[in-house]
């Protein structure tokens, strides 16, 4: 598993907790997607499993290290949804708990890693609570999550909470440029900001068809504004990945508000200055803020109202936006 330089401080701090006898058996890592949180927990797992630790580093030579490098360590358990499922059920937790109360097959620590703690059903969370309250000796639970509030409060209260921040912008941008030297500085900066500062997510955005999809949406918005025909955006928005498209649209509208307030340096979409100016010139600050609120409300409805008709909701919102644009023009 790859390692990333911005993880060094967190890794050192977590290992030192254990060296000082303050390491908690249940660790909840809160991190944004694309920060390398999995690599951090894997690195901590390797150190805990190492039979010949070299200070804060694992030796890389002992039997435990060899098994971890091969990902075949019998005392390292990954608790994740089964293939084709989105959640972890109570049966999986109970089966794992039974294994944990057996003797360690390698004579050392036993580790359970949950890459997505939000995947636990309420029943599975309650089953896990019993093991967390009275854990087997020398057993560690490493839980990873993006939204701690989605977890049961009783589960959170039994864990040591740790937030992994995204790296400073300069560090993330430097790493991103080294990974993708052909990408322009404006594109790199924009991708990083659209990814909330998470470098791995920014790389994925730039390397996939999503970046071209975003560019196509930006071009379509510009054409729609010139023609005062926002309904033409419906085919680009009415897709299964509508959440991402709405994120891009809302960020552009928010940038237009910043432009009107002479705060261009704080714009997210640094590669779309012309489009931001065009958006800013079509409406007043008050109307732009109202449009941003409307789209945020639309996004909330799409993902909170069961059985809602996506096409009808998007059509109504686009027509409402078009009405505002034509009225102001």
């Amino acid at each position: 598993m790859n390692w990333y330089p911005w993880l060094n401080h967190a890794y050192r701090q977590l290992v030192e907790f254990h060296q000082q006898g303050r390491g908690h058996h249940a660790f909840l890592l809160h991190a944004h997607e694309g920060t390398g949180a999995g690599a951090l927990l894997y690195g901590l797992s390797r150190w805990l499993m190492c039979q010949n630790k070299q200070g804060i580093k694992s030796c890389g030579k002992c039997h435990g290290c060899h098994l971890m490098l091969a990902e075949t360590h019998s005392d390292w358990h990954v608790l994740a949804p089964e293939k084709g499922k989105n959640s972890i059920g109570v049966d999986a937790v109970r089966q794992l708990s039974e294994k944990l109360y057996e003797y360690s097959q390698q004579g050392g620590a036993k580790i359970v890693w949950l890459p997505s703690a939000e995947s636990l059903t309420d029943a599975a969370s309650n089953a896990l609570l019993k093991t967390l309250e009275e854990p087997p000796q020398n057993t560690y639970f490493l839980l990873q999550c993006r939204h701690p509030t989605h977890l049961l409060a009783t589960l959170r209260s039994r864990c040591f909470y740790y937030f992994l921040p995204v790296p400073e912008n300069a560090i993330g941008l430097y790493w991103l440029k080294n990974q993708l030297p052909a990408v322009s500085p404006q594109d790199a900066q924009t991708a990083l900001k659209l990814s909330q500062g998470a470098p791995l997510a920014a790389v994925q955005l730039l390397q996939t068809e999503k970046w071209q999809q975003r560019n196509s949406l930006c071009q379509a918005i510009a054409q729609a504004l010139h023609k005062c025909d926002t309904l033409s955006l419906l085919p680009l928005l009415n897709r299964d990945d509508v959440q991402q498209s709405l994120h891009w649209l809302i960020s552009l509208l928010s940038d237009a508000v910043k432009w009107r307030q002479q705060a261009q340096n704080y714009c997210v979409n640094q590669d779309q200055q012309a489009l931001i100016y065009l958006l800013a010139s079509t409406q007043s600050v008050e109307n732009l803020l109202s449009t941003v609120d409307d789209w945020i409300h639309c996004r909330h409805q799409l993902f909170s109202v069961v059985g809602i008709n996506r096409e009808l909701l998007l059509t109504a919102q686009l027509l409402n936006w078009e009405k505002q644009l034509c009225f102001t023009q």
Side-chain angles (χ1 to χ4, degrees):
M1 187 174 290
N2 293 330
W3 187 256
Y4 309 102
W6 58 85
L7 300 177
N8 290 338
H9 173 73
Y11 172 79
R12 178 183 292 273
Q13 191 174 41
L14 296 178
V15 168
E16 287 178 349
F17 284 158
H18 286 279
Q19 289 177 326
Q20 297 165 3
R22 297 189 293 127
H24 201 280
H25 73 276
F27 177 70
L28 178 61
L29 179 63
H30 174 198
H32 296 299
E33 184 178 7
T35 55
L40 176 61
L41 292 183
Y42 175 74
L44 179 60
S45 297
R46 280 194 56 188
W47 186 85
L48 290 170
M49 289 295 198
C50 181
Q51 299 162 349
N52 186 27
K53 298 177 178 62
Q54 308 294 309
I56 66 169
K57 296 182 179 180
S58 51
C59 69
K61 299 178 181 179
C62 68
H63 186 54
C65 283
H66 286 162
L67 292 175
M68 285 298 294
L69 287 169
E71 298 186 5
T72 56
H73 202 298
S74 54
D75 294 318
W76 187 57
H77 307 279
V78 180
L79 185 58
E82 296 179 3
K83 188 175 182 180
K85 295 185 178 180
N86 297 320
S87 61
I88 302 171
V90 64
D91 290 339
V93 173
R94 288 173 177 167
Q95 290 173 9
L96 177 59
S97 296
E98 292 177 2
K99 292 181 181 179
L100 295 177
Y101 282 100
E102 299 174 356
Y103 287 107
S104 169
Q105 296 189 34
Q106 300 301 326
K110 289 175 285 186
I111 296 176
V112 177
W113 175 36
L114 279 79
S116 177
E118 294 98 330
S119 299
L120 290 165
T121 63
D122 286 351
S125 295
N126 286 320
L128 185 61
L129 282 178
K130 300 176 182 178
T131 310
L132 290 178
E133 289 171 351
E134 298 180 5
Q137 187 176 7
N138 205 19
T139 300
Y140 300 93
F141 297 85
L142 308 179
L143 286 70
Q144 183 179 333
C145 72
R146 285 185 287 168
H147 306 287
T149 54
H150 293 178
L151 306 179
L152 291 182
T154 48
L155 181 66
R156 298 199 307 269
S157 67
R158 286 163 175 76
C159 299
F160 174 79
Y161 171 86
Y162 188 95
F163 177 67
L164 177 66
V166 297
E168 294 181 5
N169 184 71
I171 295 174
L173 198 58
Y174 178 80
W175 180 85
L176 192 59
K177 288 180 178 178
N178 284 337
Q179 299 299 308
L180 303 173
V183 172
S184 71
Q186 284 185 327
D187 284 358
Q189 183 71 267
T190 299
L192 194 61
K193 288 188 174 184
L194 284 172
S195 304
Q196 288 76 51
L200 302 184
V203 166
Q204 186 178 18
L205 175 59
L206 287 165
Q207 286 185 311
T208 62
E209 62 179 14
K210 289 182 180 179
W211 192 249
Q212 180 56 48
Q213 182 183 334
R214 173 183 169 272
N215 288 337
S216 297
L217 178 63
C218 290
Q219 293 171 8
I221 292 173
Q223 294 175 3
L225 292 175
H226 284 301
K227 298 177 181 178
C228 198
D229 179 22
T230 58
L231 192 59
S232 62
L233 299 174
L234 183 61
L236 294 176
L237 295 178
N238 188 27
R239 299 159 47 119
D240 291 339
D241 57 358
V242 61
Q243 185 169 9
Q244 181 137 52
S245 298
L246 290 183
H247 170 61
W248 295 333
L249 174 57
I250 292 169
S251 72
L252 287 164
L253 289 165
S254 299
D255 281 349
V257 175
K258 298 171 191 174
W259 191 286
R260 291 297 297 259
Q261 298 291 343
Q262 298 183 347
Q264 293 93 328
N265 291 337
Y266 296 94
C267 288
V268 170
N269 301 274
Q270 293 292 327
D271 64 331
Q272 296 292 333
Q273 298 287 328
L275 177 56
I276 295 170
Y277 172 75
L278 182 59
L279 282 165
S281 64
T282 58
Q283 294 176 271
S284 65
V285 172
E286 292 75 14
N287 286 340
L288 280 169
L289 287 170
S290 177
T291 301
V292 170
D293 286 341
D294 288 344
W295 277 111
I296 291 175
H297 180 65
C298 175
R299 182 175 61 182
H300 176 72
Q301 286 183 297
L302 279 173
F303 299 101
S304 62
V305 180
V306 178
I308 196 168
N309 188 312
R310 183 177 68 197
E311 183 175 5
L312 286 178
L313 180 64
L314 290 172
T315 299
Q317 176 56 32
L318 287 167
L319 288 174
N320 181 55
W321 187 21
E322 184 175 301
K323 182 180 179 181
Q324 291 180 351
L325 288 171
C326 294
F327 178 77
T328 55
Q329 292 177 3

